Structure formats: C-alpha cells, structure tokens
Amino acid sequence: MEERMMEEFSATVDRWSLLYEWTGPWREYITAALVFLFFLALRGFITRFIFSAILKLANKSKLVIDGKIILAFQDPLKALILVIGIYLSLLALPLAERHYLMLYPIYRTLFIYFLAWGLYNLIDGKNYWSISEKYHIDRILIDFFTKVLRVLIVVLAAVMIVQTWDYNVEGFLAGLGLGGLAFALAAQDTVSNIFGGIMIIMDKPFSEGDWIETSSVEGTVEEMTFRSTKVRTFAHALVSVPNSMIANEALTNWTRMGKRRITYHLGVTYTTPAEKLKNCVEQIRVMLENHPDVHQGTIFVRFDKFSDSSLDIFLYFFTNTTVWGEYLGVKEDVNFKIMDILEAEGVSIAFPSQSIYFENTLSTETE
C-alpha cells in the first residue's frame, strides 16, 4: 500500500515537472506568481489563525503589555510578509543586474520602516496608563517620555534608511552640530518651552485632570506636549499655554485641596435683641459641629461687627469634599439650616438700607 502511494506521488511530481518544463520562457513568471501567491496565503493564514491564537494567550497573561505588543506589530508584520513575497517573486524574474541591485536597498528600507512602525505603535502613552495607575506614576510623565521615544525612533529609522542608500550620514550629523547653534538661536522660545515642560514634569505641580489656576488661565489640565499645556476652561474653551509661562508663574492646584473653604458674613437687622443674636450664633455653631459633611478641624461662628445696616455674624469652616458639585450641595444644605434657625428665633436677615431724618417737620398739606 505504501509503495503504491509513493509511486502515485512520484508520478504526480513527474507530471508537474513536465508541465513546468513545457512552459518554457514563462516558467520564471509562473514561479514568481506562485511565490507571491504563497506569501499572500501565508499572510492571510497568520492574520486569521496565528495572531488570533497568540492574542488569546496574551489576554490570559497577567501582563497587559503582551497584548499591546501583538496589536502594535500586527499591521506592520502583515505588510512585511507581503513585501517579502514581492521581493522573492521579483528575484525569480529575469531582470537586469542593475534592477537586482536596486531590490535589496528597497527591501531593507521597507523592513526598517515596518520595524519603526511597530515600535512607534507600541510606544503609545495610552498603552501604559494602567501601569501608571498601578505604580503611581504620573500620566503626564508617561505621555511626555513616550513622545520623546517616538521622536527618537523616527530619527533613528531615518538615519538607518539614509545609510542603506549609501549617503554620508557622518557629514550630515556633523553639519547638525554647526546648524544646531543657529537653530537654537532661532528657536529660543521653543527650546525654553521644552525645558519648561521638563521642569514641570520634574516638579509635578499638577496632573492630567487637575483644576489649576494661574494669572493667565484657570481650568482643567487635558494634555501636556513638548511646547504647551492644554487647559480646558470652565467656559469649555481649550487654551494652549506655553510651558515656559506655566513654569515661571505662580500656580494654584485646587484639586489637591484636602478640604474646601466656606466663609462669609451673615447680616441680621439692628432690631435683633442681643439674647436672640447669642442664641443664633450658638445654634449655628452647634449645627456646623454636628454636620457630617463639614470638616471639624476649623469652625468659627462669631458676632463679628456692626455694619452700616446690619449686625454681622462671621462664618468660617471647611467641607470634607473638594468636588465642586458636592461642595455646592453642602453649602446649600448649611444655608437652609441657618434659615431654619433664624426663622425659629424670629430673626430677620438685613438688607442694605438708609434712614433719612429731616430737621424740620415736613408738611404734607397743599395750598
């Protein structure tokens, strides 16, 4: 049985050999087409089965970066397999020698490009945000250095491609040393912004999502680039502030408040008896000391001063929350409770008013 199968296989090979010899001058083109079709099929097989299987295994891994590596190199590898197929199929064609000499630099250039493409995809700040949360690394720091690495990858890939085509890279790099001084003088603002960004990263006065305030802008930090920091204002406008300006200005980070302050004067009418005023001050103080959302570290409620049209009670305390919406809710609740205390004591809130006195009695009679 085995001998019969071997004979049939040998006969099949002989028939294909005769058919190949019969093609004559077309055999190189047929070989090239078969090589290309093989790599095209290989590309589809790897994409559909191999990548899917590896990605499933990577998703089961504890390291999130495994899946990121596969996804980063998926498209470059598919393109590279296709390029290899085209390269080998062209080698099978009866081309002139100068054409063969051109194929290798082109193939090497594309190989470097696809490798740089995969590394560029891999070094994306978003791929490492989970790592920043796990190890408490600032997202701005990760985004900044991933952008630096991406620039280095592009530059190195460009240098390697230039070397592939036998250009004098050393002379070009030496020229950069001379031109670098002129460039630095012409781009002083850009360089100062880059160093300002580095200083911000080292000092870490804010993170993405923080509410900051400077003399020039107030809002939420969305992104920091080499040149500027993008801040979303409360009017929902996006402001780009140069890093050098932020680095040299006084900056308040409101997000990093441990608690949030509420302070104001509450004016009551001059007709309020002293005893009722004392009761109101004491009840407001007790209410704040027992309020679950008021920080108990610092609470001041005092009869402060005699204003032009009111007796002023000074309130100074903090909320436990720093979130704007929750802070407003606590402030509203406290205000309603103060109104209840004033109503229970029969005390009225004062409003600006003036009393005018006439030296002589005015007559209302008409002649």
Side-chain angles (χ1 to χ4, degrees):
M1 185 68 178
E2 293 181 358
E3 293 179 357
R4 184 178 178 182
M5 291 178 62
M6 289 298 296
E7 290 176 358
E8 291 179 356
F9 176 76
S10 178
T12 302
V13 171
D14 292 339
R15 285 195 297 269
W16 279 104
S17 299
L18 291 173
L19 179 62
Y20 183 74
E21 292 177 1
W22 176 77
T23 56
W26 293 95
R27 67 183 61 175
E28 290 87 356
Y29 297 98
I30 293 174
T31 302
L34 291 174
V35 170
F36 177 74
L37 291 174
F38 170 77
F39 276 92
L40 190 64
L42 179 63
R43 176 175 176 267
F45 175 78
I46 291 177
T47 302
R48 180 171 296 182
F49 299 104
I50 303 299
F51 265 121
S52 299
I54 295 176
L55 192 59
K56 288 179 181 178
L57 292 175
N59 290 332
K60 295 179 181 179
S61 174
K62 295 182 180 179
L63 298 176
V64 180
I65 194 63
D66 291 346
K68 303 293 185 183
I69 294 173
I70 296 168
L71 292 175
F73 283 93
Q74 183 174 1
D75 290 337
L77 186 57
K78 289 193 295 185
L80 179 61
I81 293 172
L82 191 62
V83 167
I84 293 174
I86 295 173
Y87 174 68
L88 295 178
S89 61
L90 289 175
L91 289 179
L93 295 176
L95 302 176
E97 184 177 355
R98 59 188 180 88
H99 293 152
Y100 283 120
L101 294 176
M102 286 286 293
L103 288 178
Y104 179 73
I106 294 174
Y107 169 72
R108 182 178 170 83
T109 298
L110 292 174
F111 180 83
I112 294 171
Y113 170 76
F114 293 137
L115 179 61
W117 180 11
L119 292 173
Y120 189 90
N121 291 340
L122 179 62
I123 303 175
D124 187 352
K126 295 179 180 178
N127 292 338
Y128 304 96
W129 283 358
S130 59
I131 297 176
S132 71
E133 294 173 358
K134 182 177 180 180
Y135 295 101
H136 305 289
I137 302 173
D138 201 316
R139 281 190 180 182
I140 290 180
L141 188 65
I142 290 178
D143 289 342
F144 186 84
F145 281 108
T146 51
K147 288 174 183 176
V148 171
L149 289 175
R150 279 185 159 189
V151 171
L152 290 177
I153 288 171
V154 172
V155 172
L156 290 175
V159 170
M160 293 174 68
I161 289 173
V162 169
Q163 284 181 328
T164 299
W165 294 93
D166 295 329
Y167 284 100
N168 187 5
V169 180
E170 294 179 358
F172 173 73
L173 295 176
L176 287 179
L178 297 175
L181 178 61
F183 176 78
L185 294 174
Q188 290 183 9
D189 292 340
T190 302
V191 174
S192 64
N193 287 328
I194 292 174
F195 279 100
I198 294 173
M199 294 303 297
I200 291 172
I201 288 174
M202 293 176 63
D203 192 37
K204 294 193 292 186
F206 56 81
S207 302
E208 287 186 6
D210 283 1
W211 167 24
I212 65 170
E213 180 181 2
T214 67
S215 59
S216 57
V217 69
E218 180 181 5
T220 304
V221 178
E222 285 201 351
E223 182 185 7
M224 194 184 81
T225 62
F226 290 114
R227 180 187 174 277
S228 63
T229 298
K230 293 180 174 58
V231 179
R232 180 75 64 180
T233 66
F234 295 123
H236 213 64
L238 186 64
V239 180
S240 295
V241 186
N243 290 331
S244 59
M245 183 180 295
I246 291 183
N248 294 320
E249 284 185 344
L251 184 145
T252 303
N253 190 330
W254 294 108
T255 300
R256 296 184 182 177
M257 294 183 294
K259 49 190 177 181
R260 195 159 188 164
R261 186 182 66 175
I262 297 176
T263 179
Y264 57 89
H265 281 87
L266 175 66
V268 298
T269 60
Y270 265 98
T271 59
T272 304
E275 190 63 30
K276 287 193 174 184
L277 185 58
K278 290 179 181 178
N279 291 338
C280 289
V281 170
E282 183 61 28
Q283 289 182 49
I284 293 173
R285 183 186 301 112
V286 172
M287 180 270 295
L288 292 176
E289 289 175 350
N290 291 281
H291 199 291
D293 296 320
V294 172
H295 194 276
Q296 300 303 309
T298 305
I299 297 176
F300 292 113
V301 182
R302 292 286 186 269
F303 172 39
D304 186 41
K305 60 183 178 179
F306 298 90
S307 293
D308 294 336
S309 57
S310 64
L311 304 173
D312 286 354
I313 301 172
F314 174 65
L315 291 92
Y316 187 96
F317 58 98
F318 293 85
T319 62
N320 291 322
T321 181
T322 60
V323 179
W324 176 248
E326 296 175 359
Y327 162 82
L328 292 177
V330 175
K331 189 175 181 180
E332 178 186 58
D333 185 62
V334 168
N335 288 339
F336 278 128
K337 284 182 168 58
I338 290 175
M339 288 185 66
D340 292 339
I341 293 172
L342 296 179
E343 289 177 2
E345 291 293 330
V347 175
S348 300
I349 297 175
F351 55 88
S353 60
Q354 288 183 339
S355 299
I356 300 175
Y357 297 93
F358 295 95
E359 185 176 353
N360 298 320
T361 303
L362 294 179
S363 176
T364 58
E365 297 179 358
T366 58
E367 294 181 356

